Amino acid sequence: MKNNTKLLFLLPIALLIIPVFAQETQEECIFTSHLEKSWIFFQERPWVTGSMINCDDGIQYHLKDTVYIRILDINGDLIGGGNADVSQVEVIHIRENQYFFYMPQIHSIDFEHRGIYQIELTYNNHTNTIWFAVLDPEKRWDEP
């Protein structure tokens, strides 16, 4: 009978401790972004690819698998003007946990020779930034 009394005493304590060990830990979000190359010539359309693993926590279903991009200059100002396609692009083609898209074509209307720019990629509440430079193929790299 004494063993049963000890067991009844330990049972409530065990019930409090077991959920702590049984609780599943949330894995950290891995959101990666890679640009085909960091020096881009006018008229090129480089590709961007990456992955998002464990980043869906709390995201609404209609936003799942949607990566948004913005192309900004070195000061963080949105690129626009003559080529409206570069102001904001929504990535449409995505496979599970991976995305791939072509950037809008780089034009001299929106980009400067030797200019430094950034691509801001957002998935759910996670953001990555990729930096790149633009070159005019008609000029030498060190030419203004």
Side-chain angles (χ1 to χ4, degrees), residues 86-132:
V86 299
S87 61
Q88 187 165 349
V89 177
E90 178 181 340
V91 177
I92 297 168
H93 176 70
I94 298 178
R95 294 187 310 181
E96 186 176 349
N97 294 330
Q98 293 182 327
Y99 64 95
F100 175 90
F101 66 92
Y102 284 100
M103 282 183 46
Q105 191 173 35
I106 304 298
H107 291 285
S108 60
I109 297 169
D110 299 308
F111 297 92
E112 296 177 8
H113 172 63
R114 295 189 332 162
I116 306 294
Y117 300 91
Q118 56 186 311
I119 305 169
E120 180 185 88
L121 300 106
T122 305
Y123 179 73
N124 197 1
N125 58 354
H126 306 281
T127 302
N128 285 343
T129 301
I130 302 172
W131 292 89
F132 67 97

Side-chain angles (χ1 to χ4, degrees), residues 43-111:
Q43 308 307 321
E44 288 186 321
R45 293 188 66 204
W47 50 261
V48 176
T49 188
S51 63
M52 55 281 209
I53 301 169
N54 301 322
C55 303
D56 294 341
D57 190 39
I59 193 169
Q60 297 176 8
Y61 185 77
H62 72 281
L63 296 176
K64 188 174 179 343
D65 295 339
T66 303
V67 176
Y68 294 94
I69 71 161
R70 295 187 322 149
I71 301 175
L72 310 165
D73 65 15
I74 196 168
N75 300 317
D77 297 324
L78 194 62
I79 298 297
N83 185 3
D85 289 342
V86 299
S87 61
Q88 187 165 349
V89 177
E90 178 181 340
V91 177
I92 297 168
H93 176 70
I94 298 178
R95 294 187 310 181
E96 186 176 349
N97 294 330
Q98 293 182 327
Y99 64 95
F100 175 90
F101 66 92
Y102 284 100
M103 282 183 46
Q105 191 173 35
I106 304 298
H107 291 285
S108 60
I109 297 169
D110 299 308
F111 297 92

Side-chain angles (χ1 to χ4, degrees), residues 130-141:
I130 302 172
W131 292 89
F132 67 97
V134 174
L135 293 175
D136 182 345
E138 303 293 320
K139 297 180 179 179
R140 292 181 9 183
W141 71 271

